């Protein structure tokens, strides 16, 4: 087996799918099933573990925001820093409450990645939202920012992120779309979603190590240390490029195109996850 090639493929899959409204863990699950012959439960755990590559990219890209969070944590941040810390803490806690039981349910009772319905429903909602925007106010632009988010909004985003523990459901797609549907500015929605990846992915990796250590070790053994290292490097590089590109696209003000694009990608992701993950 060419471990370098396998690492490149898995790194590309992880690095691209993490930031788009398509489930990265499901794409890695499918890819690792074909490349490494992993059974569902093992491939599912490995898909969550692979998020370590995109964490590196998020930490590098959002290093200034991380410094702000640390300042807020030690009582030296601005009111904006404190608000950001509150947002990250609240949605991370809600994500854990929702996500951990879902992970245990999937790993113990589900035998194939057929959970494509949530992404399909989300995609339909986004397309309908785009149609409403088009028919009512063609120049409508969501204007809410971090300061306008309420506790209720944060809980909703946390629930959306927690549901991403299901195979076939995209974390970035769920959180970004939830905030856009709540009226948050696209650039702010993308930024907050991508920043939220760091604690969520760390938690996902921790959960897989605690509850699925044997599966993760077996998968890592099959891909080899060389392949794993290559996949992390590739995922990090691709992720940095995509984060920047998506934030620029969100900043462009083309809300209608953005909403329709997210909706169509979410629908396709849900359909493909059900077809090829079954």
């Amino acid at each position: 087996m060419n471990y370098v090639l396998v690492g490149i493929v898995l790194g590309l899959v992880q690095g691209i799918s993490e930031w788009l409204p398509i489930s990265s863990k499901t794409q890695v699950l499918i890819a690792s099933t074909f490349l490494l012959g992993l059974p569902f439960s093992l491939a599912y755990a490995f898909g969550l573990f692979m998020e370590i590559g995109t964490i590196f990219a998020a930490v590098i890209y959002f290093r200034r925001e991380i410094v702000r969070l640390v300042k807020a944590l030690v009582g030296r941040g601005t009111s904006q820093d404190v608000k950001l810390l509150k947002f990250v803490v609240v949605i991370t806690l809600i994500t854990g409450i929702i996500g951990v039981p879902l992970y245990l349910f999937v790993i113990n009772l589900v035998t194939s990645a057929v959970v494509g319905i949530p992404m399909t429903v989300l995609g339909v909602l986004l397309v309908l939202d785009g149609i409403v925007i088009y028919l009512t106010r063609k120049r409508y632009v969501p204007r809410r920012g971090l300061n306008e988010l309420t506790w209720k909004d944060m809980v909703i985003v946390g629930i959306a992120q927690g549901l991403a523990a299901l195979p076939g459901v995209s974390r970035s797609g769920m959180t970004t779309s939830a905030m856009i549907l709540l009226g948050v500015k696209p650039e702010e929605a993308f930024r907050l979603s991508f920043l939220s990846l760091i604690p969520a992915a760390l938690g996902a990796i921790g959960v897989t190590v605690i509850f699925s250590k044997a599966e993760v070790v077996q998968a890592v053994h099959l891909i080899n240390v060389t392949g794993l290292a290559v996949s992390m490097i590739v995922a990090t590089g691709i992720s940095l490029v995509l984060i920047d590109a998506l934030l620029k696209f969100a900043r462009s003000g083309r809300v209608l195109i953005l909403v329709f694009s997210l909706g169509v990608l979410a629908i396709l992701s849900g359909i493909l996850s059900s077809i090829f993950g079954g």
Side-chain angles (χ1 to χ4, degrees):
M1 180 183 296
N2 190 327
Y3 296 111
V4 173
L5 181 59
V6 171
I8 290 174
V9 173
L10 290 177
L12 285 171
V13 170
Q14 174 66 33
I16 293 173
S17 59
E18 178 63 55
W19 313 102
L20 298 174
I22 56 178
S23 174
S24 62
K25 60 188 171 296
T26 302
Q27 311 314 313
V28 172
L29 184 155
I30 294 171
S32 59
T33 297
F34 281 110
L35 294 173
L36 303 173
L38 304 182
F40 174 79
S41 60
L42 201 157
Y44 173 60
F46 184 58
L48 287 172
F49 180 76
M50 278 292 291
E51 292 192 354
I52 191 170
T54 43
I55 291 178
F56 290 145
V59 169
I60 293 170
Y61 196 91
F62 295 106
R63 56 191 180 279
R64 293 185 181 86
E65 283 84 352
I66 293 173
V67 170
R68 289 173 53 195
L69 289 172
V70 173
K71 286 182 177 179
L73 195 60
V74 298
R76 301 180 63 181
T78 65
S79 59
Q80 189 76 359
D81 298 338
V82 173
K83 182 76 175 185
L84 182 61
L85 178 64
K86 182 168 73 173
F87 173 84
V88 171
V89 169
V90 170
I91 73 164
T92 301
L93 287 175
I94 299 298
T95 297
I97 293 171
I98 301 293
V100 173
L102 282 179
Y103 173 81
L104 294 176
F105 166 74
V106 171
I107 208 71
N108 291 314
L109 299 176
V110 179
T111 58
S112 62
V114 297
V115 194
I117 294 176
M119 288 304 294
T120 305
V121 172
L122 175 65
V124 171
L125 288 175
L126 285 167
V127 170
L128 290 176
D129 186 53
I131 293 172
V132 170
I133 291 174
Y134 180 77
L135 293 177
T136 55
R137 297 173 60 188
K138 291 186 179 181
R139 295 188 177 181
Y140 166 77
V141 177
R143 300 190 181 280
R144 299 181 73 195
L146 177 63
N147 287 332
E148 287 73 44
L149 290 179
T150 64
W151 286 99
K152 180 182 176 181
D153 296 327
M154 295 178 192
V155 170
I156 291 173
V157 177
I159 293 173
Q161 183 165 257
L163 291 174
L166 291 169
V169 181
S170 164
R171 189 210 65 83
S172 63
M174 291 293 285
T175 52
T176 302
S177 301
M179 282 185 272
I180 289 177
L181 290 171
L182 288 170
V184 177
K185 292 178 288 187
E187 182 186 1
E188 188 80 337
F190 273 88
R191 185 179 71 90
L192 292 174
S193 171
F194 294 168
L195 183 62
S196 302
L197 162 78
I198 299 171
L202 286 172
I205 293 169
V207 168
T208 57
V209 170
I210 293 172
F211 295 105
S212 306
K213 184 178 179 180
E215 288 83 355
V216 171
V217 170
Q218 186 178 344
V220 171
H221 176 72
L222 286 173
I223 189 178
N224 190 276
V225 175
T226 300
L228 185 63
V230 169
S231 70
M232 299 303 173
I233 294 170
V234 172
T236 300
I238 293 294
S239 294
L240 287 170
V241 173
L242 262 182
I243 292 173
D244 192 58
L246 288 169
L247 287 175
K248 286 179 179 176
F249 179 47
R251 199 179 300 134
S252 67
R254 291 174 286 187
V255 179
L256 196 59
I257 296 175
L258 181 65
V259 172
F260 272 120
S261 298
L262 288 174
V264 171
L265 281 172
I267 291 172
L268 290 174
S269 173
I271 294 172
L272 291 175
S273 292
S274 295
I275 294 174
F276 294 106

